Amino acid sequence: MMVMVTNSSSMLTGYLAGKYEGRIGWLLSPGGWREPHSWLEYGIDNGAFPLFASGKPFDEVAFYAHCDRIKGRTKRPLWIAVPDVVGDREGTLRSWFAHSPRVAQYGCPLAFVVQDGMTPDDIPPNASVVFVGGTDDWKMRSVPMFTAAFPRVHVGRINGEKGLWECHEAGAESCDGTGWMRCGEERAAGLLRYLDESTNGRKQTKLAI
């Protein structure tokens, strides 16, 4: 499973990407652009969740300006997350049908961000990737349901070692987290263990929830 460290260009990010080839990537959100490297995969986020968390409306102008940065680039994103409405099933479906035709013009796979209460039946047929969002409890319960139904599943907001293993064992293709690189190796210890043990064999340890 690939772990996308959000908007992080730290030395540790580069070191881990080199040591664990194909296991570290970037999630790039509006306002957090980093120049893509040929050796690092990345996904394009729509920025809906941090705006929702801070009580701000979705910024459509910033999102499309963010997407415009990939035009003409050799290194293309793995997918683009089509704008969703956090916590709102019907609003997210309306947003998909409003935005997906325009986002599709960038020529990249489209990710549909699922919300609480959604099932595989809600996934639009032109979605290439299922991005599991929603509230934390619902999200973690629902990951196996979506990985069983779709080959490409990304899980948002995973910042703990326990969550990494749950996504890994469910068969997710990737996940993302903002916290891994914020405080150096001490904060990244869980990520380091996960990468080592999922590559070389897991040790018997008790993980904090």
Side-chain angles (χ1 to χ4, degrees), residues 55-87:
K56 297 177 182 178
F58 179 69
D59 191 336
E60 182 175 323
V61 173
F63 169 68
Y64 283 107
H66 184 48
C67 292
D68 283 343
R69 293 187 175 101
I70 70 172
K71 289 181 176 178
R73 294 184 179 276
T74 302
K75 185 66 176 181
R76 307 288 287 171
L78 293 172
W79 41 261
I80 300 174
V82 173
D84 59 295
V85 182
V86 179

Side-chain angles (χ1 to χ4, degrees), residues 37-188:
H37 301 297
S38 61
W39 44 267
L40 191 67
E41 302 291 352
Y42 67 103
I44 295 291
D45 192 20
N46 59 42
F49 185 82
L51 290 172
F52 169 80
S54 60
K56 297 177 182 178
F58 179 69
D59 191 336
E60 182 175 323
V61 173
F63 169 68
Y64 283 107
H66 184 48
C67 292
D68 283 343
R69 293 187 175 101
I70 70 172
K71 289 181 176 178
R73 294 184 179 276
T74 302
K75 185 66 176 181
R76 307 288 287 171
L78 293 172
W79 41 261
I80 300 174
V82 173
D84 59 295
V85 182
V86 179
D88 186 337
R89 175 184 177 276
E90 297 301 326
T92 292
L93 289 168
R94 288 193 298 269
S95 184
W96 174 269
F97 292 113
H99 287 281
S100 61
R102 182 175 174 183
V103 179
Q105 294 176 11
Y106 291 96
C108 301
L110 304 183
F112 178 77
V113 187
V114 298
Q115 308 297 328
D116 288 38
M118 284 186 169
T119 71
D121 291 337
D122 290 304
I123 307 302
N126 56 332
S128 298
V129 178
V130 176
F131 186 132
V132 186
T135 61
D136 289 343
D137 288 345
W138 178 85
K139 173 180 64 184
M140 298 315 295
R141 290 198 308 271
S142 302
V143 170
M145 173 176 65
F146 290 108
T147 55
F150 300 97
R152 300 191 66 191
V153 175
H154 175 86
V155 187
R157 306 190 320 276
I158 300 297
N159 290 291
E161 188 177 359
K162 182 174 182 289
L164 290 175
W165 280 109
E166 289 179 358
C167 294
H168 177 100
E169 290 167 355
E173 176 180 276
S174 58
C175 67
D176 70 75
T178 59
W180 295 114
M181 302 299 173
R182 287 185 172 177
C183 301
E185 292 189 33
E186 182 178 353
R187 179 65 180 86

